[in-house]
Coordinates of all heavy atoms in Angstrom, one line a residue:
M264 N -45.7 93.0 -44.2 CA -45.1 92.2 -42.9 C -45.7 92.9 -41.7 O -46.3 92.2 -40.9 CB -43.6 92.3 -43.0 CG -42.9 91.5 -41.9 SD -43.3 89.7 -41.8 CE -42.4 89.2 -40.5
M265 N -45.5 94.2 -41.5 CA -46.0 94.8 -40.3 C -47.4 94.7 -40.2 O -48.0 94.5 -39.1 CB -45.5 96.4 -40.4 CG -45.6 97.0 -39.1 SD -44.6 96.3 -37.9 CE -44.8 97.4 -36.5
T266 N -48.2 95.0 -41.4 CA -49.6 94.9 -41.3 C -50.1 93.6 -40.9 O -51.1 93.4 -40.1 CB -50.2 95.2 -42.8 OG1 -49.5 96.3 -43.2 CG2 -51.7 95.4 -42.8
R267 N -49.4 92.5 -41.4 CA -49.7 91.2 -41.0 C -49.6 91.0 -39.5 O -50.5 90.4 -38.9 CB -48.9 90.2 -41.9 CG -49.4 88.9 -41.7 CD -48.9 87.9 -42.8 NE -49.3 86.4 -42.4 CZ -48.5 85.5 -42.4 NH1 -47.2 85.6 -42.7 NH2 -49.0 84.3 -42.0
L268 N -48.5 91.3 -39.0 CA -48.3 91.1 -37.6 C -49.4 91.8 -36.8 O -49.9 91.4 -35.8 CB -47.0 91.8 -37.2 CG -45.7 90.8 -37.4 CD1 -44.5 91.6 -37.0 CD2 -45.9 89.6 -36.7
L269 N -49.7 93.1 -37.2 CA -50.7 93.9 -36.4 C -52.1 93.2 -36.5 O -52.8 93.2 -35.4 CB -50.9 95.3 -37.0 CG -49.7 96.3 -36.7 CD1 -49.8 97.6 -37.4 CD2 -49.7 96.5 -35.1
S270 N -52.5 92.6 -37.6 CA -53.8 92.1 -37.7 C -53.8 90.8 -36.9 O -54.8 90.3 -36.2 CB -54.2 91.7 -39.2 OG -53.2 90.8 -39.8
I271 N -52.7 90.0 -36.8 CA -52.6 88.8 -36.0 C -52.7 89.3 -34.6 O -53.6 88.6 -33.7 CB -51.3 88.1 -36.2 CG1 -51.2 87.4 -37.5 CG2 -51.1 87.0 -35.1 CD1 -50.0 86.8 -38.0
A272 N -52.1 90.4 -34.1 CA -52.2 90.8 -32.8 C -53.7 91.1 -32.5 O -54.2 90.9 -31.4 CB -51.2 92.0 -32.6
A273 N -54.3 91.8 -33.4 CA -55.7 92.3 -33.1 C -56.6 91.1 -33.1 O -57.5 91.1 -32.1 CB -56.2 93.2 -34.4
L274 N -56.4 90.1 -33.9 CA -57.2 88.9 -33.8 C -57.0 88.2 -32.4 O -58.0 87.8 -31.8 CB -56.9 87.9 -34.9 CG -57.6 88.1 -36.2 CD1 -57.0 87.0 -37.2 CD2 -59.0 87.8 -36.1
T275 N -55.9 88.1 -32.1 CA -55.5 87.4 -30.7 C -56.2 88.1 -29.7 O -56.8 87.4 -28.7 CB -54.0 87.4 -30.5 OG1 -53.4 86.8 -31.7 CG2 -53.6 86.5 -29.4
T276 N -56.1 89.4 -29.6 CA -56.7 90.2 -28.5 C -58.2 90.0 -28.6 O -58.8 89.8 -27.6 CB -56.4 91.7 -28.7 OG1 -55.0 91.8 -28.9 CG2 -56.8 92.4 -27.6
A277 N -58.9 90.0 -29.8 CA -60.3 90.0 -29.9 C -60.8 88.6 -29.4 O -61.8 88.5 -28.7 CB -60.7 90.1 -31.4
F278 N -60.0 87.6 -29.6 CA -60.4 86.2 -29.2 C -60.2 86.0 -27.7 O -60.8 85.3 -27.0 CB -59.9 85.1 -30.0 CG -60.6 84.9 -31.3 CD1 -60.1 85.4 -32.6 CD2 -61.9 84.4 -31.4 CE1 -60.7 85.3 -33.7 CE2 -62.5 84.2 -32.6 CZ -62.0 84.6 -33.7
A279 N -59.0 86.5 -27.3 CA -58.5 86.2 -26.0 C -59.2 87.1 -24.8 O -59.5 86.5 -23.8 CB -57.0 86.5 -25.8
A280 N -59.6 88.2 -25.2 CA -60.1 89.2 -24.2 C -61.3 88.8 -23.4 O -61.3 88.7 -22.2 CB -60.3 90.5 -24.7
P281 N -62.4 88.4 -24.0 CA -63.7 88.1 -23.4 C -63.5 86.9 -22.4 O -63.9 87.1 -21.2 CB -64.7 87.7 -24.5 CG -64.0 88.3 -25.7 CD -62.6 88.2 -25.6
A282 N -63.1 85.7 -22.8 CA -63.1 84.5 -22.0 C -61.9 84.6 -21.0 O -62.1 84.1 -19.8 CB -62.9 83.4 -22.8
W283 N -60.8 85.2 -21.4 CA -59.6 84.9 -20.6 C -59.2 86.2 -19.8 O -58.2 86.1 -19.1 CB -58.4 84.4 -21.3 CG -58.9 83.1 -21.9 CD1 -59.2 82.8 -23.2 CD2 -59.0 81.8 -21.2 NE1 -59.6 81.6 -23.3 CE2 -59.5 80.9 -22.2 CE3 -58.8 81.4 -19.9 CZ2 -59.7 79.5 -21.9 CZ3 -59.2 80.2 -19.6 CH2 -59.5 79.1 -20.6
A284 N -59.9 87.3 -19.9 CA -59.5 88.5 -19.2 C -59.2 88.3 -17.7 O -60.2 87.8 -17.1 CB -60.4 89.6 -19.5
G285 N -58.1 88.5 -17.2 CA -57.9 88.4 -15.7 C -57.5 87.0 -15.3 O -57.2 86.8 -14.2
T286 N -57.5 86.1 -16.2 CA -57.2 84.7 -15.8 C -55.6 84.5 -15.7 O -55.0 84.8 -16.6 CB -57.8 83.6 -16.7 OG1 -59.2 83.8 -16.7 CG2 -57.4 82.3 -16.2
Q287 N -55.2 84.2 -14.5 CA -53.8 84.1 -14.3 C -53.4 82.7 -13.8 O -54.3 82.0 -13.0 CB -53.3 85.0 -13.3 CG -52.8 86.4 -13.9 CD -52.0 87.1 -12.9 OE1 -51.2 86.6 -12.1 NE2 -52.2 88.5 -12.9
T288 N -52.3 82.1 -14.0 CA -51.8 80.9 -13.2 C -50.6 81.2 -12.6 O -49.7 81.9 -13.2 CB -51.6 79.8 -14.3 OG1 -52.8 79.5 -15.0 CG2 -51.1 78.5 -13.6
V289 N -50.5 80.8 -11.3 CA -49.2 81.0 -10.6 C -48.8 79.7 -9.9 O -49.7 78.9 -9.6 CB -49.4 82.1 -9.5 CG1 -50.5 81.6 -8.4 CG2 -48.2 82.5 -8.9
T290 N -47.5 79.5 -9.8 CA -47.0 78.3 -9.1 C -46.5 78.8 -7.7 O -45.7 79.7 -7.6 CB -45.9 77.6 -9.9 OG1 -46.4 77.3 -11.2 CG2 -45.3 76.5 -9.2
L291 N -47.2 78.1 -6.7 CA -46.7 78.5 -5.3 C -45.8 77.4 -4.8 O -46.1 76.2 -5.0 CB -47.9 78.6 -4.4 CG -49.0 79.7 -4.8 CD1 -50.1 79.5 -3.9 CD2 -48.4 81.1 -4.8
S292 N -44.7 77.8 -4.2 CA -43.9 76.9 -3.5 C -44.4 76.7 -2.1 O -44.6 77.7 -1.4 CB -42.5 77.4 -3.5 OG -41.6 76.5 -2.8
V293 N -44.7 75.4 -1.7 CA -45.3 75.2 -0.4 C -44.3 74.1 0.3 O -44.6 72.9 0.3 CB -46.7 74.6 -0.5 CG1 -47.4 74.6 0.9 CG2 -47.5 75.4 -1.6
P294 N -43.3 74.6 0.9 CA -42.3 73.7 1.5 C -42.7 73.0 2.7 O -42.1 71.9 3.1 CB -41.1 74.7 1.8 CG -41.7 76.0 2.0 CD -42.9 76.1 1.1
G295 N -43.8 73.4 3.3 CA -44.2 72.9 4.6 C -45.1 71.6 4.5 O -45.5 71.0 5.5
M296 N -45.4 71.1 3.3 CA -46.1 69.9 3.2 C -45.2 68.6 3.5 O -44.3 68.4 2.8 CB -46.6 69.8 1.7 CG -47.6 70.8 1.4 SD -48.6 70.5 -0.1 CE -47.4 70.8 -1.3
T297 N -45.5 67.9 4.5 CA -44.7 66.9 5.0 C -45.3 65.4 4.8 O -44.6 64.5 5.0 CB -44.3 67.0 6.5 OG1 -45.5 67.2 7.2 CG2 -43.5 68.3 6.6
C298 N -46.5 65.4 4.4 CA -47.0 64.1 4.2 C -48.2 64.1 3.2 O -48.6 65.2 2.8 CB -47.7 63.4 5.6 SG -49.3 64.1 6.1
A299 N -48.7 62.9 2.7 CA -49.6 62.9 1.5 C -51.0 63.6 1.8 O -51.6 63.9 0.8 CB -49.8 61.4 1.2
A300 N -51.3 63.8 3.2 CA -52.5 64.5 3.4 C -52.4 66.0 3.3 O -53.5 66.7 3.1 CB -53.0 64.1 4.8
C301 N -51.3 66.5 3.4 CA -51.0 67.9 3.4 C -51.6 68.6 2.2 O -52.2 69.7 2.2 CB -49.6 68.3 3.6 SG -48.9 68.0 5.2
P302 N -51.3 68.1 1.0 CA -51.8 68.8 -0.3 C -53.4 68.9 -0.2 O -53.8 69.9 -0.8 CB -51.4 67.8 -1.4 CG -50.3 67.1 -0.8 CD -50.5 66.9 0.7
L303 N -54.0 68.0 0.4 CA -55.5 68.2 0.5 C -55.9 69.4 1.2 O -56.8 70.2 0.9 CB -56.2 66.9 1.1 CG -55.9 65.6 0.4 CD1 -56.5 64.4 1.2 CD2 -56.5 65.6 -1.0
T304 N -55.3 69.7 2.4 CA -55.5 70.8 3.2 C -55.2 72.1 2.3 O -55.9 73.0 2.4 CB -54.7 70.8 4.4 OG1 -54.7 69.5 5.1 CG2 -55.0 71.9 5.4
V305 N -54.1 72.0 1.7 CA -53.6 73.2 0.9 C -54.6 73.4 -0.2 O -55.1 74.6 -0.4 CB -52.2 73.0 0.4 CG1 -51.9 74.1 -0.6 CG2 -51.2 72.9 1.5
K306 N -55.0 72.4 -0.9 CA -56.1 72.6 -2.0 C -57.4 73.2 -1.5 O -57.9 74.0 -2.1 CB -56.2 71.2 -2.6 CG -57.0 71.1 -3.9 CD -57.2 69.7 -4.4 CE -58.0 69.7 -5.7 NZ -57.4 70.0 -6.9
Q307 N -57.9 72.6 -0.3 CA -59.1 73.2 0.2 C -59.1 74.6 0.5 O -59.8 75.4 0.2 CB -59.5 72.4 1.5 CG -60.2 71.1 1.2 CD -60.6 70.4 2.5 OE1 -60.3 70.9 3.6 NE2 -61.3 69.2 2.4
A308 N -57.9 75.0 1.1 CA -57.7 76.4 1.6 C -57.6 77.2 0.2 O -58.3 78.4 0.3 CB -56.3 76.6 2.2
L309 N -57.0 76.9 -0.8 CA -56.9 77.6 -2.0 C -58.2 77.7 -2.7 O -58.6 78.8 -3.2 CB -55.8 77.0 -2.9 CG -54.3 77.2 -2.6 CD1 -53.4 76.3 -3.2 CD2 -54.0 78.7 -2.5
N310 N -59.0 76.6 -2.8 CA -60.3 76.6 -3.4 C -61.3 77.5 -2.7 O -62.2 77.9 -3.3 CB -60.8 75.2 -3.5 CG -60.1 74.4 -4.6 OD1 -59.5 75.0 -5.5 ND2 -60.2 73.0 -4.5
K311 N -61.0 77.9 -1.5 CA -62.0 78.8 -0.8 C -61.8 80.2 -1.1 O -62.6 81.1 -0.9 CB -61.8 78.6 0.7 CG -62.5 77.4 1.4 CD -62.3 77.4 2.9 CE -62.6 76.0 3.4 NZ -62.0 75.9 4.8
V312 N -60.6 80.5 -1.8 CA -60.3 81.9 -2.1 C -61.3 82.3 -3.3 O -61.2 81.6 -4.3 CB -58.9 82.1 -2.5 CG1 -58.6 83.6 -2.9 CG2 -58.0 81.7 -1.3
P313 N -62.1 83.3 -3.3 CA -62.9 83.7 -4.4 C -62.1 84.0 -5.6 O -61.1 84.7 -5.4 CB -63.6 84.9 -3.8 CG -63.5 84.9 -2.3 CD -62.2 84.2 -2.1
G314 N -62.5 83.5 -6.7 CA -61.9 83.7 -8.0 C -60.9 82.6 -8.4 O -60.4 82.5 -9.6
V315 N -60.6 81.7 -7.4 CA -59.9 80.6 -7.8 C -60.7 79.6 -8.6 O -61.8 79.1 -8.2 CB -59.2 79.8 -6.6 CG1 -58.6 78.5 -6.9 CG2 -58.2 80.8 -6.0
S316 N -60.2 79.1 -9.9 CA -61.0 78.3 -10.7 C -60.2 76.8 -10.8 O -61.0 75.9 -11.0 CB -61.1 78.7 -12.0 OG -59.9 79.1 -12.6
K317 N -59.0 76.7 -10.5 CA -58.3 75.4 -10.5 C -57.1 75.4 -9.6 O -56.4 76.4 -9.6 CB -57.9 75.2 -12.0 CG -57.4 73.9 -12.3 CD -57.2 73.6 -13.8 CE -56.6 72.2 -14.0 NZ -55.2 72.3 -14.4
T318 N -57.0 74.3 -8.9 CA -55.9 74.2 -8.0 C -55.3 72.7 -8.2 O -56.0 71.7 -8.1 CB -56.2 74.2 -6.5 OG1 -57.0 75.5 -6.3 CG2 -55.1 74.3 -5.7
D319 N -54.0 72.7 -8.4 CA -53.2 71.4 -8.7 C -52.1 71.3 -7.7 O -51.2 72.1 -7.9 CB -52.9 71.3 -10.1 CG -52.4 69.9 -10.5 OD1 -52.5 69.1 -9.7 OD2 -52.1 69.8 -11.7
V320 N -52.2 70.6 -6.6 CA -51.2 70.6 -5.6 C -50.4 69.3 -5.7 O -51.0 68.2 -5.8 CB -51.9 70.6 -4.2 CG1 -50.7 70.8 -3.2 CG2 -52.8 71.9 -4.1
S321 N -49.1 69.4 -5.8 CA -48.2 68.3 -5.8 C -47.4 68.2 -4.6 O -46.7 69.1 -4.3 CB -47.4 68.5 -7.1 OG -46.2 67.5 -7.0
F322 N -47.6 67.1 -4.0 CA -46.8 66.8 -2.7 C -45.4 66.6 -3.1 O -44.4 67.0 -2.4 CB -47.4 65.5 -2.0 CG -46.6 65.1 -0.8 CD1 -46.2 65.9 0.2 CD2 -46.1 63.7 -0.8 CE1 -45.4 65.5 1.3 CE2 -45.3 63.4 0.3 CZ -45.0 64.2 1.3
D323 N -45.1 65.8 -4.2 CA -43.7 65.4 -4.6 C -42.9 66.7 -4.8 O -41.8 66.8 -4.5 CB -43.7 64.6 -5.8 CG -44.2 63.1 -5.5 OD1 -44.2 62.7 -4.4 OD2 -44.7 62.5 -6.5
R324 N -43.5 67.6 -5.6 CA -42.9 68.8 -6.0 C -43.0 70.0 -4.9 O -42.4 71.0 -4.9 CB -43.4 69.3 -7.3 CG -43.2 68.5 -8.5 CD -43.7 69.0 -9.7 NE -43.3 68.2 -10.8 CZ -43.8 68.4 -12.1 NH1 -44.5 69.4 -12.3 NH2 -43.5 67.6 -13.0
K325 N -43.7 69.7 -3.9 CA -44.1 70.7 -2.8 C -44.4 72.0 -3.5 O -43.9 73.1 -3.1 CB -42.8 70.9 -1.9 CG -42.2 69.6 -1.3 CD -42.4 69.6 0.2 CE -41.8 68.6 1.0 NZ -42.0 67.2 0.4
Q326 N -45.4 71.9 -4.3 CA -45.9 73.2 -5.0 C -47.4 73.1 -5.3 O -48.0 71.9 -5.4 CB -45.1 73.4 -6.3 CG -45.5 72.5 -7.4 CD -44.6 72.8 -8.7 OE1 -43.6 73.4 -8.6 NE2 -45.2 72.4 -9.9
A327 N -48.0 74.2 -5.5 CA -49.4 74.3 -6.0 C -49.5 75.2 -7.2 O -49.0 76.3 -7.2 CB -50.2 74.8 -4.8
V328 N -50.2 74.6 -8.2 CA -50.4 75.4 -9.3 C -51.8 75.9 -9.3 O -52.8 75.1 -9.3 CB -50.1 74.7 -10.7 CG1 -50.4 75.5 -11.9 CG2 -48.7 74.1 -10.7
V329 N -52.0 77.3 -9.3 CA -53.3 77.8 -9.1 C -53.8 78.7 -10.2 O -53.0 79.6 -10.7 CB -53.3 78.7 -7.8 CG1 -54.8 79.0 -7.4 CG2 -52.8 77.9 -6.6
T330 N -54.9 78.4 -10.8 CA -55.5 79.3 -11.8 C -56.6 80.1 -11.1 O -57.5 79.6 -10.5 CB -56.1 78.4 -13.0 OG1 -55.1 77.6 -13.4 CG2 -56.6 79.4 -14.1
F331 N -56.5 81.4 -11.3 CA -57.4 82.3 -10.7 C -57.8 83.6 -11.5 O -57.0 83.9 -12.5 CB -56.9 82.8 -9.3 CG -55.6 83.6 -9.4 CD1 -55.7 84.9 -9.3 CD2 -54.4 83.0 -9.5 CE1 -54.6 85.7 -9.4 CE2 -53.2 83.8 -9.6 CZ -53.3 85.1 -9.5
D332 N -58.8 84.2 -11.2 CA -59.2 85.5 -11.8 C -58.7 86.6 -11.1 O -59.0 86.8 -9.9 CB -60.8 85.5 -11.9 CG -61.3 86.8 -12.4 OD1 -60.5 87.7 -12.7 OD2 -62.5 86.8 -12.9
D333 N -57.7 87.3 -11.7 CA -57.0 88.3 -11.0 C -57.9 89.6 -10.7 O -57.5 90.6 -10.1 CB -55.7 88.8 -11.5 CG -55.7 89.5 -12.9 OD1 -56.9 89.7 -13.3 OD2 -54.7 89.7 -13.5
N334 N -59.2 89.6 -11.1 CA -60.1 90.7 -10.7 C -60.6 90.4 -9.3 O -61.2 91.2 -8.7 CB -61.2 90.8 -11.8 CG -60.7 91.4 -13.0 OD1 -60.0 92.3 -13.2 ND2 -61.2 90.7 -14.2
K335 N -60.6 89.1 -8.9 CA -61.1 88.6 -7.7 C -60.1 88.2 -6.7 O -60.4 88.4 -5.5 CB -62.2 87.6 -7.9 CG -63.4 87.9 -8.8 CD -64.2 86.6 -9.0 CE -65.3 86.9 -10.1 NZ -65.9 85.8 -10.6
A336 N -59.1 87.6 -7.3 CA -58.1 87.1 -6.2 C -56.7 87.7 -6.6 O -56.6 88.3 -7.6 CB -58.0 85.5 -6.4
S337 N -55.8 87.5 -5.7 CA -54.4 87.9 -6.0 C -53.4 86.9 -5.5 O -53.8 86.1 -4.6 CB -54.2 89.2 -5.3 OG -54.2 89.1 -3.8
V338 N -52.2 87.0 -5.9 CA -51.2 86.0 -5.4 C -51.1 86.2 -3.8 O -50.9 85.2 -3.0 CB -49.9 86.3 -6.0 CG1 -48.7 85.5 -5.3 CG2 -49.9 86.0 -7.6
A339 N -51.2 87.4 -3.3 CA -51.1 87.7 -1.9 C -52.3 87.0 -1.2 O -52.0 86.4 -0.2 CB -51.2 89.2 -1.6
A340 N -53.5 87.0 -1.7 CA -54.6 86.3 -1.1 C -54.3 84.8 -1.2 O -54.7 84.1 -0.1 CB -55.9 86.7 -1.9
L341 N -53.7 84.3 -2.2 CA -53.4 82.8 -2.2 C -52.4 82.4 -1.1 O -52.6 81.4 -0.5 CB -52.9 82.5 -3.7 CG -53.9 82.7 -4.8 CD1 -53.2 82.4 -6.2 CD2 -55.2 82.0 -4.7
T342 N -51.3 83.1 -1.1 CA -50.3 82.8 -0.2 C -50.9 83.0 1.3 O -50.6 82.2 2.2 CB -49.0 83.7 -0.3 OG1 -49.3 85.0 -0.2 CG2 -48.4 83.4 -1.7
K343 N -51.7 84.0 1.5 CA -52.3 84.2 2.8 C -53.2 83.0 3.2 O -53.2 82.5 4.2 CB -53.2 85.4 2.9 CG -53.8 85.8 4.3 CD -54.5 87.0 4.3 CE -54.9 87.4 5.7 NZ -55.7 86.3 6.4
A344 N -54.0 82.5 2.2 CA -54.9 81.4 2.4 C -54.1 80.1 2.8 O -54.5 79.4 3.6 CB -55.7 81.1 1.2
T345 N -53.0 79.8 2.2 CA -52.2 78.7 2.5 C -51.6 78.9 3.9 O -51.5 77.9 4.7 CB -51.1 78.3 1.5 OG1 -50.2 79.3 1.4 CG2 -51.7 78.1 0.2
A346 N -51.1 80.1 4.1 CA -50.4 80.4 5.5 C -51.5 80.2 6.6 O -51.2 79.7 7.6 CB -49.9 81.8 5.4
D347 N -52.6 80.7 6.4 CA -53.8 80.6 7.4 C -54.0 79.1 7.6 O -54.5 78.7 8.8 CB -55.0 81.4 7.0 CG -54.8 82.9 7.0 OD1 -53.8 83.3 7.6 OD2 -55.7 83.6 6.5
A348 N -53.9 78.2 6.7 CA -54.0 76.8 6.8 C -53.0 76.2 7.4 O -52.9 74.9 7.6 CB -54.5 76.2 5.4
G349 N -51.8 76.8 7.6 CA -50.7 76.3 8.2 C -49.5 76.0 7.3 O -48.5 75.4 7.8
Y350 N -49.7 76.4 6.1 CA -48.6 76.2 5.1 C -48.2 77.5 4.3 O -48.7 77.8 3.4 CB -49.2 75.2 4.0 CG -49.5 73.8 4.6 CD1 -50.9 73.6 5.1 CD2 -48.6 72.8 4.9 CE1 -51.3 72.5 5.7 CE2 -49.0 71.6 5.5 CZ -50.3 71.5 5.9 OH -50.7 70.3 6.4
P351 N -47.2 78.2 5.0 CA -46.8 79.3 4.3 C -46.3 79.0 2.9 O -45.7 77.9 2.7 CB -45.6 79.8 5.2 CG -45.9 79.2 6.5 CD -46.6 77.8 6.2
S352 N -46.5 79.9 1.9 CA -46.0 79.6 0.5 C -45.6 80.9 -0.1 O -45.8 82.0 0.4 CB -47.3 79.1 -0.3 OG -48.3 80.1 -0.5
T353 N -44.8 80.7 -1.1 CA -44.3 81.8 -1.9 C -44.5 81.6 -3.4 O -44.4 80.4 -3.9 CB -42.7 82.1 -1.6 OG1 -42.0 80.8 -1.9 CG2 -42.5 82.6 -0.3
A354 N -44.7 82.6 -4.1 CA -44.9 82.5 -5.6 C -43.5 82.2 -6.3 O -42.5 82.8 -5.9 CB -45.4 83.8 -6.2
K355 N -43.6 81.2 -7.1 CA -42.3 80.9 -7.8 C -42.2 81.8 -9.1 O -43.3 82.1 -9.6 CB -42.2 79.4 -8.4 CG -42.1 78.5 -7.3 CD -41.9 77.1 -7.9 CE -41.5 76.1 -6.8 NZ -41.3 74.7 -7.5
P356 N -41.1 82.3 -9.3 CA -40.9 83.3 -10.5 C -41.3 82.5 -11.8 O -41.2 81.4 -11.9 CB -39.4 83.7 -10.5 CG -38.7 82.8 -9.5 CD -39.8 82.1 -8.7
Ligands
CU292 CU1 -49.5 66.1 6.2

């Protein structure tokens, strides 16, 4: 039983490490979006941050789901980017 668990863990690590090392997804709460154009501004700001690979901004939910490489970007860099664009944000737990 233990051996089996360990080999599964080893396999998972071997396959996961090369392609996905450092890839993180964070959901940012962006309460300042007040019209349908706002998400475009937020999306552009986030996409300019080096290391960001995917940005999905929802006006209805007032949130942005961002996929980024944590070797290049950080949650702090993402929230700063939205704040600089006029939309302060915070990471949702
Ligand atoms: Cu707007």
Side-chain angles (χ1 to χ4, degrees):
M264 183 62 180
M265 197 59 177
T266 312
R267 190 165 171 227
L268 279 179
L269 283 175
S270 57
I271 288 170
L274 272 176
T275 306
T276 306
F278 280 104
W283 300 104
T286 301
Q287 268 195 38
T288 300
V289 67
T290 300
L291 301 176
S292 174
V293 194
M296 295 195 289
T297 53
C298 79
C301 290
L303 298 175
T304 309
V305 172
K306 190 179 174 80
Q307 277 182 357
L309 288 167
N310 283 341
K311 278 184 198 162
V312 179
V315 170
S316 55
K317 188 167 179 256
T318 307
D319 194 1
V320 186
S321 165
F322 172 58
D323 289 339
R324 293 181 179 175
K325 303 250 192 306
Q326 70 178 26
V328 180
V329 187
T330 304
F331 63 99
D332 181 342
D333 67 5
N334 292 312
K335 296 178 189 160
S337 64
V338 172
L341 301 176
T342 56
K343 183 179 188 305
T345 64
D347 287 350
Y350 301 93
S352 63
T353 50
K355 287 189 176 181

